[in-house]
PDB file of all heavy atoms in Angstrom:
ATOM      1  N   LEU A 271      -9.936  22.266 -14.791  1.00 93.00           N
ATOM      2  CA  LEU A 271     -11.206  21.885 -15.403  1.00 93.00           C
ATOM      3  C   LEU A 271     -12.110  23.104 -15.546  1.00 93.00           C
ATOM      4  O   LEU A 271     -11.934  24.109 -14.837  1.00 93.00           O
ATOM      5  CB  LEU A 271     -11.897  20.811 -14.559  1.00 93.00           C
ATOM      6  CG  LEU A 271     -11.114  19.518 -14.313  1.00 93.00           C
ATOM      7  CD1 LEU A 271     -11.987  18.492 -13.593  1.00 93.00           C
ATOM      8  CD2 LEU A 271     -10.577  18.944 -15.614  1.00 93.00           C
ATOM      9  N   PRO A 272     -13.078  23.057 -16.434  1.00 90.00           N
ATOM     10  CA  PRO A 272     -13.981  24.206 -16.639  1.00 90.00           C
ATOM     11  C   PRO A 272     -14.649  24.691 -15.353  1.00 90.00           C
ATOM     12  O   PRO A 272     -14.884  25.892 -15.192  1.00 90.00           O
ATOM     13  CB  PRO A 272     -15.012  23.655 -17.629  1.00 90.00           C
ATOM     14  CG  PRO A 272     -14.264  22.618 -18.401  1.00 90.00           C
ATOM     15  CD  PRO A 272     -13.332  21.973 -17.404  1.00 90.00           C
ATOM     16  N   GLY A 273     -14.957  23.807 -14.432  1.00 90.00           N
ATOM     17  CA  GLY A 273     -15.597  24.213 -13.185  1.00 90.00           C
ATOM     18  C   GLY A 273     -14.659  24.781 -12.147  1.00 90.00           C
ATOM     19  O   GLY A 273     -15.085  25.205 -11.074  1.00 90.00           O
ATOM     20  N   GLY A 274     -13.338  24.762 -12.436  1.00 93.00           N
ATOM     21  CA  GLY A 274     -12.376  25.369 -11.519  1.00 93.00           C
ATOM     22  C   GLY A 274     -11.556  24.376 -10.713  1.00 93.00           C
ATOM     23  O   GLY A 274     -10.573  24.768 -10.062  1.00 93.00           O
ATOM     24  N   ALA A 275     -11.917  23.079 -10.706  1.00 95.00           N
ATOM     25  CA  ALA A 275     -11.096  22.081 -10.028  1.00 95.00           C
ATOM     26  C   ALA A 275      -9.810  21.868 -10.822  1.00 95.00           C
ATOM     27  O   ALA A 275      -9.769  22.070 -12.041  1.00 95.00           O
ATOM     28  CB  ALA A 275     -11.854  20.774  -9.877  1.00 95.00           C
ATOM     29  N   ILE A 276      -8.759  21.467 -10.131  1.00 96.00           N
ATOM     30  CA  ILE A 276      -7.445  21.263 -10.746  1.00 96.00           C
ATOM     31  C   ILE A 276      -7.146  19.771 -10.703  1.00 96.00           C
ATOM     32  O   ILE A 276      -7.259  19.145  -9.646  1.00 96.00           O
ATOM     33  CB  ILE A 276      -6.367  22.050  -9.972  1.00 96.00           C
ATOM     34  CG1 ILE A 276      -6.754  23.539  -9.922  1.00 96.00           C
ATOM     35  CG2 ILE A 276      -5.000  21.862 -10.593  1.00 96.00           C
ATOM     36  CD1 ILE A 276      -6.241  24.253  -8.719  1.00 96.00           C
ATOM     37  N   MET A 277      -6.760  19.204 -11.836  1.00 94.00           N
ATOM     38  CA  MET A 277      -6.576  17.758 -11.899  1.00 94.00           C
ATOM     39  C   MET A 277      -5.189  17.431 -12.433  1.00 94.00           C
ATOM     40  O   MET A 277      -4.727  18.024 -13.406  1.00 94.00           O
ATOM     41  CB  MET A 277      -7.655  17.110 -12.755  1.00 94.00           C
ATOM     42  CG  MET A 277      -7.705  15.599 -12.680  1.00 94.00           C
ATOM     43  SD  MET A 277      -9.317  14.933 -13.214  1.00 94.00           S
ATOM     44  CE  MET A 277     -10.322  15.262 -11.762  1.00 94.00           C
ATOM     45  N   VAL A 278      -4.529  16.461 -11.794  1.00 92.00           N
ATOM     46  CA  VAL A 278      -3.211  16.002 -12.213  1.00 92.00           C
ATOM     47  C   VAL A 278      -3.352  14.604 -12.792  1.00 92.00           C
ATOM     48  O   VAL A 278      -3.782  13.677 -12.106  1.00 92.00           O
ATOM     49  CB  VAL A 278      -2.215  15.977 -11.032  1.00 92.00           C
ATOM     50  CG1 VAL A 278      -0.845  15.478 -11.509  1.00 92.00           C
ATOM     51  CG2 VAL A 278      -2.085  17.360 -10.402  1.00 92.00           C
ATOM     52  N   ASP A 279      -3.003  14.468 -14.073  1.00 86.00           N
ATOM     53  CA  ASP A 279      -3.002  13.155 -14.725  1.00 86.00           C
ATOM     54  C   ASP A 279      -1.596  12.592 -14.640  1.00 86.00           C
ATOM     55  O   ASP A 279      -0.611  13.313 -14.823  1.00 86.00           O
ATOM     56  CB  ASP A 279      -3.436  13.292 -16.181  1.00 86.00           C
ATOM     57  CG  ASP A 279      -3.751  11.947 -16.826  1.00 86.00           C
ATOM     58  OD1 ASP A 279      -3.870  10.953 -16.088  1.00 86.00           O
ATOM     59  OD2 ASP A 279      -3.879  11.894 -18.064  1.00 86.00           O
ATOM     60  N   THR A 280      -1.474  11.299 -14.348  1.00 80.00           N
ATOM     61  CA  THR A 280      -0.165  10.669 -14.177  1.00 80.00           C
ATOM     62  C   THR A 280      -0.050   9.457 -15.084  1.00 80.00           C
ATOM     63  O   THR A 280      -1.047   8.812 -15.409  1.00 80.00           O
ATOM     64  CB  THR A 280       0.064  10.229 -12.715  1.00 80.00           C
ATOM     65  OG1 THR A 280      -0.867   9.185 -12.391  1.00 80.00           O
ATOM     66  CG2 THR A 280      -0.118  11.392 -11.761  1.00 80.00           C
ATOM     67  N   PRO A 281       1.161   9.094 -15.505  1.00 72.00           N
ATOM     68  CA  PRO A 281       1.333   7.884 -16.314  1.00 72.00           C
ATOM     69  C   PRO A 281       0.911   6.648 -15.528  1.00 72.00           C
ATOM     70  O   PRO A 281       1.040   6.590 -14.302  1.00 72.00           O
ATOM     71  CB  PRO A 281       2.849   7.858 -16.599  1.00 72.00           C
ATOM     72  CG  PRO A 281       3.311   9.264 -16.393  1.00 72.00           C
ATOM     73  CD  PRO A 281       2.437   9.815 -15.308  1.00 72.00           C
ATOM     74  N   GLY A 282       0.385   5.648 -16.227  1.00 53.00           N
ATOM     75  CA  GLY A 282       0.007   4.402 -15.574  1.00 53.00           C
ATOM     76  C   GLY A 282       1.218   3.662 -15.038  1.00 53.00           C
ATOM     77  O   GLY A 282       2.320   3.760 -15.583  1.00 53.00           O
ATOM     78  N   MET A 283       1.027   2.923 -13.963  1.00 54.00           N
ATOM     79  CA  MET A 283       2.116   2.181 -13.347  1.00 54.00           C
ATOM     80  C   MET A 283       1.830   0.686 -13.402  1.00 54.00           C
ATOM     81  O   MET A 283       0.749   0.244 -13.003  1.00 54.00           O
ATOM     82  CB  MET A 283       2.298   2.627 -11.879  1.00 54.00           C
ATOM     83  CG  MET A 283       2.831   4.031 -11.744  1.00 54.00           C
ATOM     84  SD  MET A 283       3.024   4.538 -10.011  1.00 54.00           S
ATOM     85  CE  MET A 283       1.329   4.900  -9.596  1.00 54.00           C
ATOM     86  N   ARG A 284       2.788  -0.084 -13.899  1.00 53.00           N
ATOM     87  CA  ARG A 284       2.641  -1.529 -13.897  1.00 53.00           C
ATOM     88  C   ARG A 284       2.660  -2.055 -12.466  1.00 53.00           C
ATOM     89  O   ARG A 284       1.972  -2.999 -12.124  1.00 53.00           O
ATOM     90  CB  ARG A 284       3.781  -2.181 -14.694  1.00 53.00           C
ATOM     91  CG  ARG A 284       3.790  -1.820 -16.167  1.00 53.00           C
ATOM     92  CD  ARG A 284       2.525  -2.290 -16.849  1.00 53.00           C
ATOM     93  NE  ARG A 284       2.582  -2.071 -18.300  1.00 53.00           N
ATOM     94  CZ  ARG A 284       1.552  -2.085 -19.096  1.00 53.00           C
ATOM     95  NH1 ARG A 284       0.346  -2.260 -18.593  1.00 53.00           N
ATOM     96  NH2 ARG A 284       1.678  -1.892 -20.391  1.00 53.00           N
TER      97      ARG A 284
END
Side-chain angles (χ1 to χ4, degrees):
L271 302 186
I276 304 151
M277 191 160 283
V278 180
D279 193 13
T280 66
M283 291 180 282
R284 296 298 186 197

